[in-house]
Amino acid sequence: GRRSFGERVCCVVSVSSQTDGSWSCSGVVLSRGPALVLCQGAVFTPFLRDGPTAWSQPRALLPAALRPCPRILVLQPPAGTRVPALGLDAPSGGLQQHEAGLLALVPCAAFQQALGRAFGPAEQWRFGGEAAGDDPRALHWFAWLRVPGLDTPGEGWTARASASCLRKGEGLLACGSPFGDLCPDLFLNTLSRGVVSNLAGEENALILTDARCLPGTEGGGAFLPSPDGSRLVAVITASFCWKGAEWVGLTLLCSLAAILSSSASILGEAGVVVPPVPGRVAAVPAGSGQDPLGWVALVECGASWGSGVLLAPRLLLTCRHVVEAGVLPATTLNGRVIFTTEESSPFDVAVVELEESVPSFIPPCPADSFLPGEEVSVVGFGALGRACGPSVTVGVLSAVVAVAGRPVMLQTTCAVHGGSSGGPLISSRSGRLLGIVASNTRDTGVGSTYPHLNFCIPITILQPPIAHYQHTGDPAAFAGLNGASEGVQAAWRLQRQPGLPSKL
């Protein structure tokens, strides 16, 4: 029978020449009449006549910008076993290879502007994973390929959706081929699920997702799953994001609508009419009506920042290490620290009373139990600070550490970064507040940070003193957090028993 959109939209793009070697990435088939493939432009870096400096100009690059005669191939799967999530074909012996020609390399100005605003140069952001040069100047460039072998009479453009109505926390499905054409029989059109972690730029030109992608998936697609068929909403731009030496565990996407807008005139010169991206009505999330994005606050102390969770209109909970400077200048509300745990306490907690109430605030509902393996989310200002508002990442509650039968530490697989500390951990199932983020993991032996292994303070530890304080107004209600047992101390030292310092 006739194959669906999802089965035919993903591919691998290979570019090679005898003098410049072979490079590859993922791509998406955007039209069958005429057949057009879109991919990340950086794969063409080794083939530019003027070298990487060509990426610095604001105008599109035509085929004459390439050195003579690179061979461009588009690889697609044959008809075979369907992957249910997207309807994609699994390999069933051999790949379809089609010769392609470059129409143009096009810069996306809206994405470039959003990059500049969201990722400040002083913070040493790097976006890795593209083997063909890793030049940051190529990040906002995309390649349009004409593939006559994919022409299908009577078919037009693939199903698309605008990114302008995306919501943080909304589900995404990423599809790309890890390692490009290295071993497509194994890796072609690999799927990864995640959520919209953050958004920036005009009509959400820049999207961050916690869907886990690998080098070679650049140029692949990000889809909005839907019962009536998935729709392409963005293109994978960088599989890895680094802030200084810290891998943040997020994937960078560019809105498809922004690419199409930037490409319309150059494609028009080639006789290709770009239809408008259909509008989209944002779905209304089901649940209690509580919005976890409304619980989280940016906590600034001097030049540093962290996150905090609002528990009441004037009560904020965060981490001690976030407020160590002792003052809290904030964007809209000032507060004073009324309690911090001692340095010797394993519970890294600070309590802040705001000078003014947050209007129309609906407090979170605290959890009273924890279910290992359940889906959870973290909301906070990790990595990006105030640039784009709070980010959302999802994972599972990977472990509940108990001492004497009482939960004292929660572990999750959500991506957590510097600046996330103090933010809320939320159950995706119930919408309840499970705890606050205290730290991710750093291996001091090798200098690596692991964003997907992090630790949170259970709300069941914090709720009794919070309730006592709300009843009495006496900050001494929190003093008990300083009296943890040796077992609790050992758990938060990340070692089984006292001895040599843990390497974590």
Side-chain angles (χ1 to χ4, degrees), residues 44 77 131 137 232 278 280 295 298 313 350 412 457 482:
F44 285 90
R137 293 172 292 185
L232 183 65
R280 175 175 168 268
W295 300 342
L298 173 67
T412 90
I457 303 169
N482 291 321

Side-chain angles (χ1 to χ4, degrees), residues 295-365:
W295 300 342
V296 68
L298 173 67
V299 180
E300 293 182 317
C301 292
S304 64
W305 80 84
S307 303
V309 57
L310 286 160
L311 300 177
R314 291 184 59 195
L315 187 64
L316 178 80
L317 200 62
T318 185
C319 289
R320 177 188 64 241
H321 73 263
V322 172
V323 299
E324 282 177 342
V327 292
L328 275 81
T331 306
T332 55
L333 295 173
N334 290 326
R336 63 185 182 92
V337 178
I338 61 171
F339 176 83
T340 61
T341 50
E342 298 170 355
E343 290 283 348
S344 59
S345 172
F347 299 123
D348 185 350
V349 173
V351 184
V352 177
E353 189 175 85
L354 302 177
E355 291 182 358
E356 300 177 29
S357 295
V358 176
S360 305
F361 177 69
I362 301 176
C365 183

